[in-house]
Amino acid sequence: MDFSAHISTPKNTTVAAPKITSLHLTKGRLTGGFLFFPPGPAGTLHFFARIGIHQIVPFTPGEDYHLDDCVIPFSLGIDLLEQPFIIDLITWNDSITWPHLLNICFFVLPSKDKRFSLKKIVNAFAATNGYQKS
Amino acid sequence: MDTRIATILAPEDLGAAGTKIIDINLQDVVSRISIAFKTTNVSEDMTEHPAANISKIELIDGSDVLFALSGLQCQALNFYDRKNKPYSYIDDIAGHAETAVFGLDFGRFLYDPLMAFDPKKFVNPQLRISFDEDVCEVDTTVNECIVRAHIFDDKAVSPTGFLSSKEIFSYLVQTSGYKYIDLPTDYILRQLYVKCRYADTSFFGLLAAARLSEDNTRKIPFDLTMTELIHDAVEAYGYCFEHAYLNGITTSTVFYGMPCDLEYAVYSPYGAADAGAVWATGGGKYRKLGVSASYNLKVILMGAMPHGVMPLMPKPSDNLADWYKVPDLGSLVLRLKDTASVADVATAEVITTQYRPY
């Protein structure tokens, strides 16, 4: 499943007060995706993505993508197991003249398993992962 | 001895800003990881609480997030989780040092044998500390970070799991309306918090009410105003206290403290009698007015809502069977009612503490 967003960030959007776009996904495994910077921003448009407070793209904390006229493929392996299944897409635009656009897409392999098995719910505190030792 | 304090990171200046990544190579079971971040003041211009120098503390194992909170959130949870109040001391005198201490608490109490972090159960646990040394006091150029682990040494323990605290959702508070947040239901929920802190603004001027509903309002555990919630929180957890040592300059200047509501500030001059003043303006922001720069102020702050964090559920007991068994539910939704006077300036952050079994 592909989840995408087309984000236009106004000029003079600062890193202190960035634009935050929330992408609502589903339970499953975030396997990859891509980020497209159209020609034009010349490094003034910045992007990173996070789940809650945890930054996932790029995974290096404190880093962001700020490129021009290129597609960046993502290599991810992040399990989305718990609600809320929301990724926050953070953008800011250093340009004082133009708004800038980017396209982001995430690939999600949906989970077919609903949740824990009954054994695990019944025995949530056991150190034996839901089954009794003989 | 049954326990030991191991140094994970010896005192080190981390630089101006960035992220320090530390591989957790311990083999012993860890009850708590303590982080102390000390900065040396250059100016006497305080722009935030010392805990704000740490923007994020994370414990991860590959892509699995085991703990993720900001410095302010972490200190607030340390207040709520511990039987004794955590260390907190503010000093804005030029040349003096301020130390903010943070604890990643993996158990119900220090050296809890039932709940603790066992590094052997994970592949490559890493501690990541994101920092900026001059958030609290501008012009700061020197810092010192120490990371220690409180571990079980001679005492053999077999924890069944650990407590995992994370910020799961944040949004910009509006002037009216509701925000619905889907809460995680895979692990047992010990406590649920919301943080909303904005200078010169009371928490109650930002968020008005909270409601928790199971399975699309089939059952509503609580639907209360924030004022009603704070009554229970203060009775259960008590007030938070903080000491401060501040310069006594004769113009009104700002400092920041942990209590963000129901604040009381009292002071005594250090060195001579004077008639200065200390008062709260809301949202963790305070002002002071001295009589002479030669006489500093010793201040005690007392209040509720450490760093603007409100617990939403009743105070949990140490009895595991009493915690909220959310895996039995189909869905769990938190609804927050916004009431900010200005939209899109304050951020509300939802924090969970879950029990994660091994």
Side-chain angles (χ1 to χ4, degrees):
Chain A
M1 297 159 66
D2 295 1
F3 293 85
S4 73
H6 182 82
I7 304 172
S8 175
T9 305
K11 62 183 180 182
N12 297 317
T13 302
T14 65
V15 63
K19 178 169 183 169
I20 302 174
T21 307
S22 294
L23 199 57
H24 207 135
L25 306 182
T26 187
K27 185 172 184 175
R29 186 171 179 84
L30 208 53
T31 56
F34 65 84
L35 172 63
F36 171 52
F37 282 95
T44 60
L45 180 61
H46 299 254
F47 169 88
F48 74 88
R50 66 177 188 218
I51 296 176
I53 199 175
H54 177 64
Q55 182 171 328
I56 60 167
V57 173
F59 201 74
T60 311
E63 291 292 324
D64 60 84
Y65 288 118
H66 46 283
L67 300 164
D68 186 290
D69 193 18
C70 63
V71 176
I72 303 117
F74 297 148
S75 175
L76 304 170
I78 298 172
D79 289 321
L80 302 173
L81 299 176
E82 289 193 297
Q83 298 273 19
F85 303 120
I86 292 175
I87 293 182
D88 288 331
L89 311 173
I90 316 299
T91 55
W92 65 95
N93 184 358
D94 297 331
S95 171
I96 61 173
T97 310
W98 306 109
H100 287 298
L101 309 166
L102 59 78
N103 272 91
I104 177 77
C105 183
F106 287 101
F107 306 150
V108 176
L109 190 64
S111 169
K112 290 185 171 54
D113 294 329
K114 186 174 185 294
R115 209 199 306 251
F116 283 159
S117 67
L118 182 60
K119 287 183 197 171
K120 288 183 182 179
I121 293 173
V122 167
N123 212 352
F125 297 116
T128 51
N129 203 28
Y131 60 90
Q132 296 294 325
K133 284 183 179 175
S134 60
Chain B
M1 196 161 112
D2 287 348
T3 60
R4 170 168 77 89
I5 299 176
T7 298
I8 294 177
L9 180 73
E12 178 180 324
D13 187 321
L14 301 183
T19 299
K20 179 70 176 177
I21 299 175
I22 305 165
D23 288 328
I24 304 297
N25 297 319
L26 292 163
Q27 294 294 299
D28 298 303
V29 175
V30 181
S31 183
R32 175 189 297 169
I33 294 176
S34 291
I35 302 168
F37 191 75
K38 183 169 77 172
T39 52
T40 302
N41 302 329
V42 174
S43 70
E44 294 182 337
D45 184 5
M46 196 175 201
T47 53
E48 249 296 0
H49 190 276
N53 285 330
I54 300 293
S55 58
K56 202 164 33 177
I57 302 169
E58 294 179 300
L59 182 66
I60 64 170
D61 180 44
S63 63
D64 190 7
V65 181
L66 310 176
F67 184 101
L69 294 175
S70 68
L72 295 171
Q73 293 167 349
C74 188
Q75 271 201 347
L77 262 63
N78 290 165
F79 165 77
Y80 286 120
D81 289 343
R82 298 180 185 175
K83 292 178 172 52
N84 293 315
K85 306 298 180 273
Y87 173 87
S88 184
Y89 182 76
I90 302 166
D91 188 327
D92 78 343
I93 312 292
H96 289 198
E98 291 183 281
T99 302
V101 181
F102 313 91
L104 285 70
D105 294 332
F106 301 113
R108 296 163 298 173
F109 45 85
L110 186 59
Y111 300 121
D112 179 357
L114 189 65
M115 298 183 184
F117 177 69
D118 188 352
K120 297 190 297 294
K121 298 267 196 293
F122 300 92
V123 175
N124 175 217
Q126 290 181 326
L127 180 66
R128 307 204 299 185
I129 305 168
S130 299
F131 64 94
D132 186 347
E133 66 182 2
D134 62 2
V135 172
C136 170
E137 296 261 1
V138 298
D139 302 325
T140 295
T141 57
V142 175
N143 70 68
E144 181 185 274
C145 184
I146 307 168
V147 181
R148 295 200 170 97
H150 302 254
I151 64 177
F152 291 93
D153 192 12
D154 289 342
K155 181 176 181 177
V157 295
S158 297
T160 58
F162 67 100
L163 296 180
S164 169
S165 296
K166 285 185 275 194
E167 177 192 310
I168 62 163
F169 187 80
S170 64
Y171 71 99
L172 290 169
V173 180
Q174 304 302 304
T175 55
S176 63
Y178 296 97
K179 192 71 175 180
Y180 294 83
I181 300 118
D182 293 319
L183 297 179
T185 55
D186 277 17
Y187 299 117
I188 287 166
L189 191 62
R190 182 176 190 244
Q191 184 55 283
L192 177 66
Y193 307 88
V194 63
K195 173 179 175 285
C196 198
R197 174 180 178 270
Y198 190 70
D200 299 320
T201 307
S202 167
F203 177 94
F204 306 100
L206 297 167
L207 296 175
R211 186 187 81 176
L212 197 63
S213 66
E214 301 174 359
D215 299 334
N216 200 34
T217 67
R218 180 181 66 88
K219 187 189 287 187
I220 298 177
F222 66 82
D223 184 2
L224 299 168
T225 65
M226 291 300 182
T227 305
E228 290 169 319
L229 285 165
I230 194 63
H231 294 162
D232 289 340
V234 170
E235 185 175 320
Y237 292 98
Y239 290 99
C240 61
F241 294 87
E242 196 163 36
H243 290 94
Y245 185 48
L246 306 168
N247 68 76
I249 62 175
T250 57
T251 53
S252 171
T253 52
V254 168
F255 71 98
Y256 287 81
M258 187 189 290
C260 284
D261 265 286
L262 305 177
E263 311 97 317
Y264 299 89
V266 293
Y267 85 98
S268 64
Y270 188 71
D274 76 9
V278 179
W279 67 98
T281 61
K285 188 175 174 183
Y286 296 77
R287 284 192 168 269
K288 58 182 169 67
L289 182 65
V291 170
S292 164
S294 301
Y295 302 118
N296 298 323
L297 309 177
K298 302 198 92 171
V299 177
I300 290 180
L301 305 174
M302 182 182 97
M305 308 273 296
H307 298 312
V309 176
M310 166 83 86
L312 298 179
M313 289 164 43
K315 183 178 180 180
S317 69
D318 284 345
N319 186 357
L320 314 179
D322 294 338
W323 295 1
Y324 199 3
K325 296 178 186 62
V326 296
D328 297 343
L329 305 174
S331 68
L332 185 66
V333 175
L334 173 67
R335 186 186 78 176
L336 296 173
K337 185 176 181 182
D338 293 355
T339 189
S341 57
V342 179
D344 298 326
V345 293
T347 300
E349 299 151 13
V350 178
I351 302 161
T352 58
T353 298
Q354 300 168 296
Y355 170 74
R356 278 188 59 164
Y358 289 124

